[in-house]
Amino acid sequence: MERYYQPEIETASREQITAWQNERLVKQVHHVWENVPYYRKKMEEKGVTPDDIQSIDDLHKLPFLTKDDLREGYPYGLLGMPLSECVRIQSTSGTTGKRVVAFYTQHDVDLWEDCCARAITAVGGTKDDVCQIAYGYGLFTGGPGLNGGSHKVGCLTLPMSSGNTDRQLMFMTDLGATILCCTPSYAAYLAESIEEKGLKDQIKLKAGIFGAEAWSEDMRHDIENKLGIKAYDIYGLTETSGPGVAFECSEQTGMHINEDHFIAEIIDPDTGEVLPEGSKGELVFTAITKEAFPLLRYRTKDICVLSRKKCSCGRTHVKMSKPMGRSDDMLIIRGVNVFPSQIETVLLQQGYPANYQLVVDRVNHSDTLEVMVEMAPEMFSDSLAEITKREKELVNALKAMLGIMAKVKLVAPKSIARSEGKAVRIIDNRKI
Ligand code: DLL
């Protein structure tokens, strides 16, 4: 039997959802106009006032927001409430090392946790479950978001954070975890370790909630078979709160977007034009209930398709496909957002020329990043020890900027092929 955390919302009629969206959008536009001078200026530049927005049919009149706006407004420019009303920040890496900082009031945290609780309930979670959360805790939204959702459902929550696989497996077996939340790559790694250690008959897992990075249907089947569970997708981004913006139900054919909190649009990434339902394009979100960080028409850069086909689970909220790629050059490596410009910044700071190539692959379901860097002629050396020392220094500098380990390979000057058009900086060999 399908379970819902907030049945009256999750299965509401289309008329009801539209009524909520109309009312909340109008209210939110007033809130932003009065409290976020940065966005008010954008509206004024476009010649739009709150009076022009009477319903969701007027949404297209509002200006877009992008990560660049968040960078420009860093740290408080998009804040919609006095700081004294904010109780939390979460953060993600930005395009040049400046981070995106999202703010939350207690009410925002509460609604975010409701969204995560819906996702946990949709995979069968109840107060009798033991929910092991192996997403990172801290500034990343994965751990804190699902932690809050798990508490709301009443599960016994294991706040493991990511890493330390032996400890993960010890608690998983000793405390009988039934739901696992982590990135799909870490789930695959845990599954392999369980197989290697012969622990399969000691685990009680029944479901997994995996997101924060792209993963294929093949990967889903592999994890499901190895762990003997059902593996569900979950989507979100720091700017719109974190995980739980959308989540999969028993049908496993796309993720329901929590439309009582977020209005979704699909646009042409080149022209910004709103595309008809069923088109593939860039996903744009308008947060209609958030107080502290009320982003309107935020361009996610995620490419996907929306569908309103009736779902067998009984939920009525629109479904998004798995993201099929990005309209910018952001890479997601083991769940961490990485921009080539961050890598370039490190190379330049360390005195290297900006001739580099990033080779991304997925080995045993885990992402690998290799940074091939040309040495400047004066650095070039025949001494292997000298080159190894330089590579180590770069590995450390990249770790400090990106938060993940990358392999560094220093190559001779002028050995990376020059392109006649745009430089080919990224070779992504992952099949997703
Ligand atoms: O990744 C929030 C999250 C945490 C989602 C835990 C799910 C589970 P950010 O670090 O801000 O937030 O990264 C957001 O990650 O724009 C997508 O490109 C990508 N992404 C998130 N979920 C998925 C998914 C978190 N299920 C960016 N499939 C987004 C593919 C995803 N890509």
Side-chain angles (χ1 to χ4, degrees):
M1 199 192 64
E2 193 76 31
R3 286 207 188 84
Y4 313 102
Y5 179 67
Q6 289 167 313
E8 65 296 345
I9 299 174
E10 293 173 66
T11 63
S13 67
R14 178 56 28 199
E15 295 69 36
Q16 177 63 75
I17 295 173
T18 305
W20 283 326
Q21 290 190 334
N22 285 337
E23 185 199 321
R24 292 173 186 181
L25 175 66
V26 169
K27 197 169 150 222
Q28 187 73 317
V29 171
H30 277 95
H31 168 54
V32 171
W33 176 264
E34 279 148 31
N35 297 298
V36 187
Y38 185 95
Y39 195 78
R40 181 184 180 134
K41 187 158 161 268
K42 282 200 139 215
M43 284 175 68
E44 284 168 346
E45 279 163 9
K46 224 176 166 229
V48 195
T49 69
D51 288 345
D52 295 316
I53 312 298
Q54 297 296 328
S55 74
I56 54 172
D57 295 337
D58 298 320
L59 188 61
H60 67 279
K61 297 178 185 165
L62 289 168
F64 291 119
L65 278 173
T66 65
K67 249 195 178 54
D68 284 342
D69 289 302
L70 303 191
R71 194 171 42 164
E72 206 174 302
Y74 175 89
Y76 301 125
L78 277 302
L79 190 63
M81 294 292 276
L83 267 186
S84 56
E85 296 303 312
C86 297
V87 297
R88 171 97 70 86
I89 66 148
Q90 302 285 164
S91 171
T92 182
S93 55
T95 44
T96 54
K98 270 279 183 246
R99 292 184 150 257
V100 167
V101 177
F103 296 83
Y104 304 72
T105 61
Q106 185 54 51
H107 186 62
D108 291 333
V109 172
D110 214 34
L111 298 187
W112 174 28
E113 292 179 351
D114 281 345
C115 289
C116 290
R118 288 180 197 175
I120 293 171
T121 310
V123 310
T126 68
K127 63 192 276 299
D128 296 324
D129 279 293
V130 179
C131 187
Q132 177 158 356
I133 299 172
Y135 284 112
Y137 278 64
L139 289 170
F140 180 56
T141 54
L146 281 144
N147 192 86
S150 173
H151 276 222
K152 286 217 168 190
V153 174
C155 303
L156 174 64
T157 308
L158 313 186
M160 302 298 302
S161 198
S162 53
N164 203 336
T165 301
D166 285 342
R167 193 172 61 190
Q168 300 276 359
L169 297 183
M170 183 183 86
F171 279 114
M172 186 182 286
T173 48
D174 290 355
L175 299 180
T178 50
I179 298 174
L180 173 65
C181 305
C182 61
T183 59
S185 3
Y186 195 47
Y189 182 71
L190 285 170
E192 250 161 40
S193 308
I194 288 168
E195 216 167 44
E196 271 166 30
K197 293 182 197 294
L199 293 173
K200 190 158 178 202
D201 55 358
Q202 291 180 45
I203 61 164
K204 296 211 174 74
L205 288 180
K206 61 179 188 188
I209 305 180
F210 307 134
E213 63 182 1
W215 53 310
S216 61
E217 284 303 317
D218 282 347
M219 190 162 170
R220 187 203 305 261
H221 294 141
D222 196 38
I223 297 173
E224 288 189 333
N225 289 336
K226 282 205 175 111
L227 289 176
I229 62 169
K230 268 190 100 175
Y232 298 84
D233 206 349
I234 185 165
Y235 171 89
L237 52 158
T238 312
E239 297 90 316
T240 57
S241 62
V245 170
F247 61 91
E248 242 177 9
C249 61
S250 53
E251 211 184 74
Q252 292 184 303
T253 55
M255 295 172 270
H256 290 283
I257 294 173
N258 285 310
E259 284 189 282
D260 50 327
H261 299 304
F262 304 101
I263 305 176
E265 299 171 277
I266 292 288
I267 63 160
D268 178 327
D270 297 323
T271 63
E273 181 201 351
V274 179
L275 298 177
E277 202 198 305
S279 316
K280 184 170 156 182
E282 183 181 332
L283 184 59
V284 173
F285 282 120
T286 295
I288 47 178
T289 50
K290 272 153 64 72
E291 299 174 330
F293 210 55
L295 301 190
L296 305 182
R297 297 198 89 201
Y298 183 70
R299 291 184 57 163
T300 63
K301 307 277 175 177
D302 290 317
I303 303 293
C304 69
V305 177
L306 297 182
S307 162
R308 292 201 184 279
K309 237 173 83 196
K310 193 166 187 283
C311 187
S312 62
C313 79
R315 289 181 184 76
T316 46
H317 294 223
V318 69
K319 282 206 278 200
M320 62 179 274
S321 66
K322 273 180 182 295
M324 301 159 176
R326 300 214 15 121
S327 65
D328 64 3
D329 59 357
M330 185 175 97
L331 292 162
I332 301 184
I333 307 206
R334 298 193 292 272
V336 176
N337 304 350
V338 172
F339 287 92
S341 56
Q342 292 175 293
I343 293 174
E344 199 165 308
T345 305
V346 172
L347 298 182
L348 294 174
Q349 278 169 357
Q350 305 277 322
Y352 289 86
N355 294 322
Y356 62 94
Q357 222 161 32
L358 310 180
V359 185
V360 187
D361 215 329
R362 192 162 273 181
V363 181
N364 293 333
H365 299 306
S366 179
D367 297 328
T368 58
L369 168 64
E370 184 176 48
V371 185
M372 297 222 303
V373 191
E374 269 185 17
M375 284 176 278
E378 65 276 13
M379 296 172 174
F380 194 50
S381 155
D382 280 340
S383 153
L384 194 60
E386 178 62 25
I387 293 185
T388 310
K389 179 171 159 266
R390 282 185 167 276
E391 284 177 343
K392 273 203 184 126
E393 281 165 7
L394 259 189
V395 167
N396 291 339
L398 286 168
K399 171 96 198 323
M401 171 67 101
L402 308 174
I404 56 164
M405 289 293 272
K407 205 169 143 197
V408 169
K409 192 166 164 195
L410 289 179
V411 296
K414 303 226 163 25
S415 60
I416 293 181
R418 301 292 190 267
S419 133
E420 294 182 351
K422 284 188 191 217
V424 184
R425 296 265 187 242
I426 303 170
I427 301 171
D428 197 337
N429 294 322
R430 293 176 293 188
K431 287 182 189 60
I432 291 168

